[in-house]
Each structure stands twice: as structure tokens, then as C-alpha cells.
Amino acid sequence: MKKTGASMEGIALVSGGKDSVYAMYIALQQGIDIKKIVNIIPEEFSFMYHFPNTHIVKLISEAVQIDLDQYKISDDPDELKNILKNYEEKVIVSGAIESEYQKTRLERISTELNKIHYSPLWRKDPFLLLNDLLLSNFKAIFVSVSAEGLDEKFLGLEIDNGIINKLKFLKEKYGIHPSGEGGEYETLVLDCPIFKKRIKILKSEILKNGNYGILEIYDAKLDEKNK
């Protein structure tokens, strides 16, 4: 992976999903030296933070060989600010796409801490973004679904061209956001160019509660990419 631009030190807010990992990937390409991965575990259902299988972020940290800090907090922005103020790095990288709620909070916190919020995916066309993920050799699977037309059959499936076409159909029929920005679905990245090893799921179970389904991962490990 070729890096460009001047080097600045930063931290990456990583949930384990496609958007935050892809944002970190772009930041590294742009020459931002990511010193820490910061993973936020919400205390309860959150509009701010991704929550399925946050324990797998430890494997992502090992795969990219960047140290991980994890925190369990509420949606209170002051709690996030109190965490981020302890980092000396200038740049805060996030995978925000269209959530004004998320973007506004991160921008305000960054400004108050005299830091730069870098959100390279902001306002990108969602289908262009999904195609870029495939072109960049990202392997991401569905780990939660919660929308009309998205049922438990999607759980564990990898995003590919066929899935993108299904998301186009579901957008036209039900109005879902193709990138899952409305909470329609969440993902987990199993492999990408910045991973030294890929994540292999060893034990998982599909759990369903009404229209909400989740792929609960009980055991996983890092595996060599050529296997």
C-alpha cells in the first residue's frame, strides 16, 4: 500500500465494521500515522456507536499491528471527550458517512480539543463506496440486520457484487440506506489490504428477536491469508 501526503499522527475510531476500517485504510494511504485504534463499546443501544461483536476488534488490532484501547461509555458526548483528550495525536479518524448526529459531535469534540476530525467517507455515494470496498479487496460480512427485506439469511454473507445489486433493489423497494446508515445492517471486516492476517470465525450463532437479527460470534482467530 502506497502512502501519500505529509505524515501526521492520529488515532482511528474503529468499530470493526466496513466504514470505520475503510476510513482507517484511507487515512493510512494519505500518510496519517495511526498510533492507536480506539473502540467504543456502548452501554446500551446507541445512535452513536456500532455494537455487535466488539470483542473481535481485538483481532483487527492484531491484524493491522496497531495497539487497541477499548472503552465502555454511554452516548453522553462528554464521556467521549474525556477519553479523546488523553491522546496526544492530532488527527481523529472516523468512518462517518451521512450521520449528522455522529459527525457534528465528533467535529465539536475535535475542535474543543484542538484536534482534526478526518472523515474521508463523508457524503460519498453509498454504492460507489461499496464498489470501492470490493475494488480494495475488503472482505466484510453482515453481522446484524434490522430492516424490511433484510432478514437473517443475510447474516454471515460477504458483501459482493450480488449483494450490492440486492441492496439496490431494497433501496428502491423499501428505501433502505445502502450503507446501513439508518441502522439497517452492520458489518464486520474479516480481511483487507492492511491486515497482516485474516480473521477466521470458528463458532457463531444467528440470534433473532422480531425484525432484528444478529450473528453472535463466540470464537474467532487470526489465520494466514494463503490458507
Side-chain angles (χ1 to χ4, degrees), residues 4-6 8-13 19-20 22-34 90-97 102-103 106-107 110-111 115-122 124:
T4 61
M8 295 181 68
E9 293 185 348
I11 61 173
L13 299 176
D19 303 325
S20 62
Y22 191 49
M24 177 171 62
Y25 167 74
I26 293 174
L28 288 166
Q29 283 188 312
Q30 295 301 315
I32 297 173
D33 185 9
I34 303 297
K90 184 71 173 179
V91 183
I92 299 172
V93 180
S94 85
I97 300 177
Q102 184 183 60
K103 178 79 156 42
L106 288 172
E107 292 285 2
S110 298
T111 299
K115 296 182 184 294
I116 298 168
H117 176 218
Y118 180 54
S119 50
L121 312 186
W122 185 246
K124 298 292 185 182

Side-chain angles (χ1 to χ4, degrees), residues 5 18-19 23 25 27 46 49 83 95 100 109 116 123 131 142 155 178 191 217 221:
K18 59 180 175 55
D19 303 325
Y25 167 74
S46 171
Y49 311 113
I83 288 170
E100 292 286 353
I109 290 171
I116 298 168
R123 296 300 190 195
N131 281 303
F142 289 87
L155 293 170
D191 194 13
I217 299 173
K221 70 172 186 175

Side-chain angles (χ1 to χ4, degrees), residues 56-123:
I56 304 298
V57 182
K58 293 179 181 179
L59 291 180
I60 291 176
S61 167
E62 294 174 22
V64 297
Q65 298 180 355
I66 298 175
D67 289 342
L68 168 69
D69 289 338
Q70 288 185 299
Y71 304 91
K72 189 170 184 178
I73 64 175
S74 71
D75 267 5
D76 184 343
D78 287 336
E79 292 189 41
L80 180 60
K81 181 181 176 181
N82 287 335
I83 288 170
L84 297 180
K85 72 180 182 182
N86 294 316
Y87 293 90
E88 296 180 354
E89 291 79 11
K90 184 71 173 179
V91 183
I92 299 172
V93 180
S94 85
I97 300 177
E98 287 188 14
S99 172
E100 292 286 353
Y101 178 82
Q102 184 183 60
K103 178 79 156 42
T104 301
R105 285 190 168 198
L106 288 172
E107 292 285 2
R108 181 175 63 78
I109 290 171
S110 298
T111 299
E112 291 173 355
L113 296 177
N114 194 30
K115 296 182 184 294
I116 298 168
H117 176 218
Y118 180 54
S119 50
L121 312 186
W122 185 246
R123 296 300 190 195

Side-chain angles (χ1 to χ4, degrees), residues 3-213:
K3 295 182 180 181
T4 61
S7 179
M8 295 181 68
E9 293 185 348
I11 61 173
L13 299 176
V14 173
S15 67
K18 59 180 175 55
D19 303 325
S20 62
V21 177
Y22 191 49
M24 177 171 62
Y25 167 74
I26 293 174
L28 288 166
Q29 283 188 312
Q30 295 301 315
I32 297 173
D33 185 9
I34 303 297
K35 294 296 187 181
K36 276 287 180 74
I37 290 174
V38 176
N39 174 236
I40 301 299
I41 303 171
E43 293 180 344
E44 55 190 9
F45 177 80
S46 171
F47 288 104
M48 185 74 179
Y49 311 113
H50 165 118
F51 66 94
N53 299 301
T54 51
H55 58 290
I56 304 298
V57 182
K58 293 179 181 179
L59 291 180
I60 291 176
S61 167
E62 294 174 22
V64 297
Q65 298 180 355
I66 298 175
D67 289 342
L68 168 69
D69 289 338
Q70 288 185 299
Y71 304 91
K72 189 170 184 178
I73 64 175
S74 71
D75 267 5
D76 184 343
D78 287 336
E79 292 189 41
L80 180 60
K81 181 181 176 181
N82 287 335
I83 288 170
L84 297 180
K85 72 180 182 182
N86 294 316
Y87 293 90
E88 296 180 354
E89 291 79 11
K90 184 71 173 179
V91 183
I92 299 172
V93 180
S94 85
I97 300 177
E98 287 188 14
S99 172
E100 292 286 353
Y101 178 82
Q102 184 183 60
K103 178 79 156 42
T104 301
R105 285 190 168 198
L106 288 172
E107 292 285 2
R108 181 175 63 78
I109 290 171
S110 298
T111 299
E112 291 173 355
L113 296 177
N114 194 30
K115 296 182 184 294
I116 298 168
H117 176 218
Y118 180 54
S119 50
L121 312 186
W122 185 246
R123 296 300 190 195
K124 298 292 185 182
D125 177 271
F127 287 114
L128 179 61
L129 188 53
L130 289 170
N131 281 303
D132 284 348
L133 284 169
L134 298 188
L135 291 173
S136 298
N137 293 315
F138 269 64
K139 310 297 182 184
I141 62 169
F142 289 87
V143 290
S144 78
V145 288
S146 182
E148 192 76 25
L150 280 170
D151 58 24
E152 67 271 18
K153 294 178 182 178
F154 280 81
L155 293 170
L157 295 183
E158 182 181 318
I159 295 177
D160 57 16
N161 287 315
I163 291 293
I164 292 175
N165 287 332
K166 288 180 181 179
L167 291 173
K168 288 179 180 178
F169 171 77
L170 293 175
K171 179 181 183 296
E172 293 171 0
K173 186 172 183 178
Y174 299 114
I176 73 163
H177 192 286
S179 287
E181 277 290 273
E184 295 92 341
Y185 69 88
E186 295 190 76
T187 61
L188 175 68
V189 176
L190 299 181
D191 194 13
C192 71
I194 56 175
F195 283 20
K196 307 301 182 185
K197 294 182 178 182
R198 65 185 178 92
I199 296 172
K200 182 178 181 180
I201 297 173
L202 301 175
K203 184 179 180 181
S204 64
E205 181 182 9
I206 291 176
L207 305 175
K208 187 178 178 183
N209 184 4
N211 292 327
Y212 179 70

